[in-house]
Amino acid sequence: MKTPSIIVIGAGIGGISAAARLAQRGLHVTVLEKNARPGGRCDRISRDGHHFDTGPTLLVMPLLYDAEFAALGASAREMLDLQRVDPTYHLVFDDGSGLALTSDLIAMREQLEAIEPHSYHGFLRYLEEGHRHYHLGTERLVNRDFRKASDFFTLANLPLVFQLKPLVGHYHNMSSYFNNPRLKAAFSFQDVYMGLSPFEAPATFSMMPYTELAHGVWYPKGGMYRVVEALMEIARAAGVEFIFEASVKQIEVDGLRTRGVILDDGQRLEADAVLANADLPYVYRDLLPQDGMTAKLERKRFSCSVVSFFWGVDKTYSTLGPHTLFLADDYRENFKSIIDDLTIPQNPSLYVHAPARLEASMAPVGEDTLTAIVPVGHMSQNGEQDWASIRDRARQEVFRRLRTLGVTDLEEHIKFEMNFTPLSWRKRYNLMKGSTHGLCHNLTQLGYFRPSNRHARYHNLYFTGASTRPGTGLPTALVSGRLAAERILDDLGMGAAL
């Protein structure tokens, strides 16, 4: 009997993990990646002894990593050599005051009570709600495929409307626990991970601050790119073939099936099934015959984008912790500028990462490696945004914010700069509108309402990644890869147990 062959388009986290699972079940799997290295948005740049993670800079939701690596026959803790980061973040407010988010409840109590008397009790109640949302959400939403409506709309899921608060806004829900707007911001900013504003995100996402404090924020030795390297080791050991600098021009279809792909150089590759790990809206628009789905996807809500700076610095800024987040007091206006106006806020919240605080080898001796990330709007339909100007404004805002911490001479000590704008994200990773998180996670784009991981017409064409189920983020990309692999195996009559 002929061994089924699978082509995977894109060596992102979902693509690599799905490829590994399929190969472990005996399928012949070939992964085609347009770039010279795997990882997709979870990329790495190295220059002159400085090492930068271009995507995620911290590992959250470690229990999902544990489960997904275990399903691949590996140990996440051993392969990733994880180090816990605590405090998780140092938050800095507009007046220079701060809050160190930590799992040390005594330290949290002292800090919270100093900001708002009696707020510690509200914090504990918020964590209790986050615990419920995390466990129910991961079990009933994240780890489920919802292949048909009846999988989602069940009597068993009906209580989730009350248990997960999907109809309640996250920021509005914060009023049940805190009065101080800075505390409301401190425990809702994580919605940006989903490409969402806390003012439109469902209260379900209280699961994110909960898991960070309860399960920890972690750092893999070698940076977040180590996750990619570990998955590559597993996939190659299973027999997956990787072809880099192989850009797919078209998914070839015939009737109700796909036959394979055509590369930019005209080469045709046939397969029994195709799994697309490229950005789903891009796949429908650029790789498939037009059938109305492109227009439907373009009407959906896309996540925000970011301007990222990668600086090699010729001195060490030891006062900077590994994860520093500057939270603007005009919190609502920040998100209005990003989500509605598709630009950079006047006083943006922003994030600075100093990986050498966690691993000295991320920078040369006596020097520093810094990454600054400024959330901005995604690309507009008319393309009128001046990204060079927005980038330059973002850079100055980072310098201004750092001066409040006593870092006053950074500009003088930058050896080199690399930067990404939404234009970069689109060109480098084929992300529609330069949206770094794909489709956002508002209520009508969650669970069953998120695009399916199998094409409605071509039943041997599948999807994995941020814009399909269960959604965006590195740990959920692992789940997405597993769900897609299970569906392929089911359709091939090989069973879904992985």
Side-chain angles (χ1 to χ4, degrees):
M1 181 178 175
K2 177 178 173 289
T3 301
S5 61
I6 311 293
I7 286 176
V8 179
I9 304 172
I13 296 295
I16 302 170
S17 62
R21 294 173 191 280
L22 294 169
Q24 287 177 345
R25 294 295 298 274
L27 278 65
H28 182 270
V29 185
T30 302
V31 179
L32 306 172
E33 168 56 49
K34 84 178 192 76
N35 292 319
R37 57 190 299 125
R41 279 160 281 190
C42 188
D43 206 348
R44 172 192 283 163
I45 299 175
S46 295
R47 179 172 168 181
D48 300 340
H50 299 269
H51 306 286
F52 306 88
D53 284 317
T54 63
T57 57
L58 41 80
L59 190 150
V60 298
M61 304 181 83
L63 301 187
L64 282 184
Y65 286 87
D66 290 342
E68 297 304 323
F69 269 72
L72 289 167
S75 165
R77 306 280 168 156
E78 292 178 7
M79 292 197 76
L80 302 180
D81 193 6
L82 295 176
Q83 164 188 348
R84 186 159 185 170
V85 183
D86 197 326
T88 56
Y89 307 89
H90 285 87
L91 305 184
V92 182
F93 303 111
D94 282 350
D95 60 2
S97 64
L99 172 63
L101 297 184
T102 172
S103 58
D104 181 340
L105 293 182
I106 295 176
M108 281 298 292
R109 179 170 191 159
E110 292 174 355
Q111 294 181 93
L112 293 173
E113 292 295 320
I115 295 173
E116 178 188 328
H118 313 299
S119 60
Y120 180 68
H121 180 62
F123 167 71
L124 293 181
R125 289 190 296 109
Y126 184 62
L127 287 186
E128 184 179 352
E129 177 184 271
H131 170 87
R132 182 178 73 249
H133 288 180
Y134 176 85
H135 289 284
L136 279 173
T138 53
E139 176 190 348
R140 307 286 283 279
L141 296 177
V142 174
N143 281 311
R144 300 291 178 88
D145 196 356
F146 305 120
R147 298 180 186 179
K148 53 187 185 297
S150 58
D151 292 339
F152 184 72
F153 296 104
T154 66
L155 288 176
N157 279 347
L158 188 60
L160 296 181
V161 174
F162 309 100
Q163 295 168 334
L164 292 178
K165 296 187 175 180
L167 304 179
V168 180
H170 194 182
Y171 191 83
H172 176 76
N173 188 55
M174 300 303 296
S175 298
S176 300
Y177 305 100
F178 306 106
N179 294 318
N180 188 289
R182 289 180 173 176
L183 294 185
K184 294 178 183 179
F187 298 105
S188 64
F189 73 84
Q190 295 87 347
D191 294 344
V192 174
Y193 298 163
M194 311 294 168
L196 270 180
S197 158
F199 297 96
E200 61 178 345
T204 311
F205 289 132
S206 63
M207 67 167 63
M208 295 307 299
Y210 162 76
T211 186
E212 288 181 349
L213 292 171
H215 306 144
V217 166
W218 301 80
Y219 176 83
K221 186 175 182 181
M224 286 299 292
Y225 196 73
R226 176 58 193 149
V227 177
V228 177
E229 293 174 333
L231 290 172
M232 288 293 290
E233 291 170 20
I234 295 169
R236 283 186 163 133
V240 177
E241 177 188 8
F242 288 88
I243 304 176
F244 295 100
E245 297 181 292
S247 184
V248 173
K249 180 181 180 180
Q250 179 185 337
I251 297 173
E252 229 180 346
V253 296
D254 182 12
L256 300 178
R257 297 182 64 79
T258 173
R259 296 168 53 190
V261 302
I262 302 174
L263 304 185
D264 276 354
D265 62 8
Q267 183 181 4
R268 279 180 161 80
L269 299 176
E270 294 187 352
D272 295 301
V274 172
L275 172 61
N277 185 210
D279 189 38
L280 184 138
Y282 164 81
V283 173
Y284 275 99
R285 188 192 67 182
D286 287 41
L287 303 185
L288 287 169
Q290 294 305 297
D291 61 358
M293 189 62 178
T294 295
K296 184 177 180 181
L297 287 171
E298 285 183 351
R299 290 193 297 269
K300 289 186 176 291
R301 290 286 307 280
F302 283 73
S303 66
C304 62
S305 190
V306 299
V307 174
S308 297
F309 299 98
F310 308 101
W311 291 315
V313 184
D314 67 8
K315 66 176 285 188
T316 300
Y317 290 94
S318 56
T319 56
L320 280 178
H323 304 294
T324 304
L325 184 66
F326 296 89
L327 277 179
D329 284 343
D330 44 357
Y331 194 56
R332 185 183 296 271
E333 182 60 33
N334 253 252
F335 287 102
K336 180 182 182 301
S337 297
I338 293 167
I339 304 298
D340 298 337
D341 303 334
L342 300 180
T343 188
I344 181 173
Q346 287 298 314
N347 176 35
S349 297
L350 55 91
Y351 163 76
V352 177
H353 176 47
R357 296 301 89 74
L358 299 169
E359 187 173 1
S361 62
M362 292 294 103
V365 176
E367 300 186 2
D368 225 339
T369 294
L370 299 179
T371 298
I373 299 176
V374 184
V376 296
H378 62 62
M379 297 170 66
S380 64
Q381 286 294 109
N382 57 28
E384 290 181 351
Q385 294 133 304
D386 182 348
W387 289 112
S389 175
I390 290 173
R391 177 202 61 204
D392 292 345
R393 275 190 56 205
R395 184 189 297 109
Q396 292 305 314
E397 289 296 331
V398 176
F399 293 152
R400 178 181 68 84
R401 287 290 203 166
L402 287 173
R403 283 195 289 271
T404 66
L405 296 184
V407 179
T408 59
D409 60 351
L410 178 58
E411 289 180 84
E412 303 163 23
H413 291 279
I414 293 177
K415 296 161 50 183
F416 64 83
E417 172 186 295
M418 297 172 286
N419 59 71
F420 287 2
T421 69
L423 294 172
S424 314
W425 298 111
R426 182 180 67 175
K427 180 179 180 180
R428 195 176 183 105
Y429 307 111
N430 288 333
L431 301 178
M432 287 274 286
K433 302 185 181 183
S435 296
T436 48
H437 300 80
L439 297 178
C440 75
H441 288 71
N442 59 342
L443 184 59
T444 58
Q445 294 176 184
L446 283 175
Y448 175 73
F449 302 110
R450 202 161 184 82
S452 173
N453 58 11
R454 191 180 74 175
H455 197 282
R457 176 180 176 86
Y458 312 117
H459 286 178
N460 63 336
L461 173 58
Y462 305 85
F463 307 101
T464 181
S467 292
T468 185
R469 300 169 189 160
T472 193
L474 202 158
T476 44
L478 291 168
V479 178
S480 176
R482 172 172 55 80
L483 295 179
E486 288 176 349
R487 190 156 197 179
I488 291 170
L489 290 168
D490 271 359
D491 288 351
L492 289 172
M494 298 178 65
L498 290 176

